[in-house]
Amino acid sequence: MSRCTLTKNMSDVLYRAVSRADIPRLVELFNAQYARKKDEAYFVWQYFESAWPTVMMGAEVNGRLEGVFGLQRRLLTDGTAIGQAIDLLIAPQFRGKGVFAELGRLAVSCFADLKALCVFPNLNGRNACEKNLGWKVLGKIDSLELSSLATDACPVDTHSIVDENLKQFEYGGSTLAWRFCDKASYRYEYIRTGKEDFAITKIFVDPVSGKRYGDIVNFSCDMRDPDAISAVFLEAVKYLFRLKVESVTTWALPHTNLFHVLKGLGFTSKAQERYFCVKVLDSRQEFLYGFENWHLVQSDAEIY
């Protein structure tokens, strides 16, 4: 975790950096409000053993943790430092009282070199970041879903798409090792089609229905080559369907080669309440406000 020791008293609220000793209270706070439960191991991995400098600011009231705001210092592939907000949660009775905005301000102040901020919120988080933090909603991220494997792929037209110019998050060796390790929230599998070409998959089991769903959360290949993209995803899809999943989902923004290749493989768009919000801190990075300038994958968000 980033060494941010900032502590601030405001009225009856104590704002401070969350420590390992707070982990049981984090589990209690999150599991009281979310159906998808988190355990102590998640918070250790995400905040205290992270590959990225990370801080979580907390709001304490009468000895109880009533709100948190996590922030990771991540890099784009061009070296730009981006602060990504994660695990944003305020107890219902403290919403609308300025707690969220103050937590965000304090978390951002822990890093001196951030060029922009971003978050992948649900609808409630999107509204809070837009209203209370002044972040701009760039767009809504629909899933791409495949319920059965098509026998033949359709032709792909990628004539005017130049994916190598798109902004994307860096996944170097140490980052990959941490993000998809055994301590992460899910068990991930690498599906390889070559030495450097692979997809990373996971399976989610619905706790109510027991149904299994497959996700392709990340991949690596030449993004300029539709055949390479198709080969990687086709192999990952076959692998997941062999494991008896109901469907396979992934992310691809409509302006990317990946989107058009996946459409050719039979994937269809499925609406979901997931957004991408940005706040630029360096005026030289204003182009980051253009949704069309980004390439995003599921593993960019902490929930996958």
Side-chain angles (χ1 to χ4, degrees):
M1 178 177 277
S2 173
R3 293 188 177 183
C4 185
T5 58
L6 182 62
T7 301
K8 183 175 181 179
N9 277 293
M10 290 183 64
S11 184
D12 296 327
V13 182
L14 172 65
Y15 294 95
R16 61 174 178 80
V18 169
S19 70
R20 281 179 179 260
D22 293 305
I23 290 178
R25 295 197 286 178
L26 289 171
V27 172
E28 180 183 3
L29 176 66
F30 277 81
N31 290 351
Q33 299 188 53
Y34 288 129
R36 185 177 297 180
K37 305 305 180 183
K38 297 191 177 189
D39 58 16
E40 294 190 5
Y42 167 80
F43 292 103
V44 172
W45 168 73
Q46 187 72 273
Y47 291 94
F48 302 99
E49 297 180 355
S50 178
W52 305 309
T54 305
V55 67
M56 175 180 270
M57 296 304 300
E60 184 179 307
V61 181
N62 296 325
R64 288 182 56 84
L65 203 59
E66 302 288 6
V68 292
F69 192 111
L71 191 70
Q72 295 175 323
R73 179 190 177 276
R74 298 188 62 181
L75 297 178
L76 302 183
T77 51
D78 63 4
T80 302
I82 302 288
Q84 181 173 333
I86 61 172
D87 291 332
L88 313 179
L89 186 61
I90 307 296
Q93 65 271 28
F94 289 97
R95 294 173 187 171
K97 300 180 183 297
V99 173
F100 181 72
E102 184 62 18
L103 283 173
R105 188 189 68 80
L106 293 172
V108 172
S109 72
C110 292
F111 300 101
D113 64 342
L114 301 179
K115 304 301 182 184
L117 306 168
C118 75
V119 67
F120 293 88
N122 58 20
L123 180 60
N124 290 334
R126 165 215 157 138
N127 292 339
C129 289
E130 188 176 27
K131 177 182 177 181
N132 300 317
L133 303 181
W135 295 18
K136 182 176 179 180
V137 181
L138 270 59
K140 187 169 178 284
I141 304 175
D142 289 338
S143 288
L144 285 178
E145 182 179 74
L146 186 67
S147 56
S148 63
L149 188 59
T151 55
D152 295 301
C154 298
V156 178
D157 179 12
T158 57
H159 176 71
S160 61
I161 304 173
V162 189
D163 278 2
E164 63 266 32
N165 294 331
L166 299 179
K167 297 301 177 183
Q168 55 188 303
F169 289 99
E170 179 271 335
Y171 285 93
S174 61
T175 301
L176 281 174
W178 170 80
R179 180 63 176 84
F180 304 107
C181 71
D182 292 340
K183 295 182 180 180
S185 299
Y186 296 97
R187 178 182 176 182
Y188 299 96
E189 296 290 345
Y190 283 75
I191 311 302
R192 298 186 180 275
T193 59
K195 184 177 180 180
E196 302 295 336
D197 293 2
F198 59 82
I200 302 175
T201 67
K202 74 171 181 64
I203 290 179
F204 172 73
V205 180
D206 188 296
V208 177
S209 68
K211 291 183 177 180
R212 296 157 60 85
Y213 299 92
D215 286 309
I216 303 174
V217 300
N218 207 325
F219 74 104
S220 176
C221 68
D222 186 346
M223 292 172 61
R224 300 166 298 181
D225 184 352
D227 290 335
I229 298 173
S230 182
V232 166
F233 276 81
L234 192 57
E235 196 64 29
V237 164
K238 290 178 180 177
Y239 166 79
L240 288 168
F241 278 124
R242 285 198 298 269
L243 297 180
K244 308 301 183 183
V245 300
E246 295 286 323
S247 61
V248 176
T249 64
T250 193
W251 284 5
L253 301 185
H255 53 268
T256 64
N257 268 337
L258 177 59
F259 181 88
H260 293 271
V261 170
L262 294 180
K263 285 288 189 177
L265 291 177
F267 280 80
T268 59
S269 296
K270 180 180 179 181
Q272 64 168 357
E273 292 297 335
R274 187 61 51 187
Y275 299 86
F276 186 52
C277 306
V278 168
K279 182 175 183 178
V280 172
L281 303 177
D282 183 338
S283 60
R284 294 169 295 182
Q285 306 290 327
E286 288 287 325
F287 57 86
L288 295 178
Y289 279 133
F291 201 32
E292 70 280 2
N293 294 326
W294 288 89
H295 163 67
L296 303 170
V297 295
Q298 282 184 341
S299 62
D300 294 335
E302 78 278 11
I303 62 171
Y304 289 97

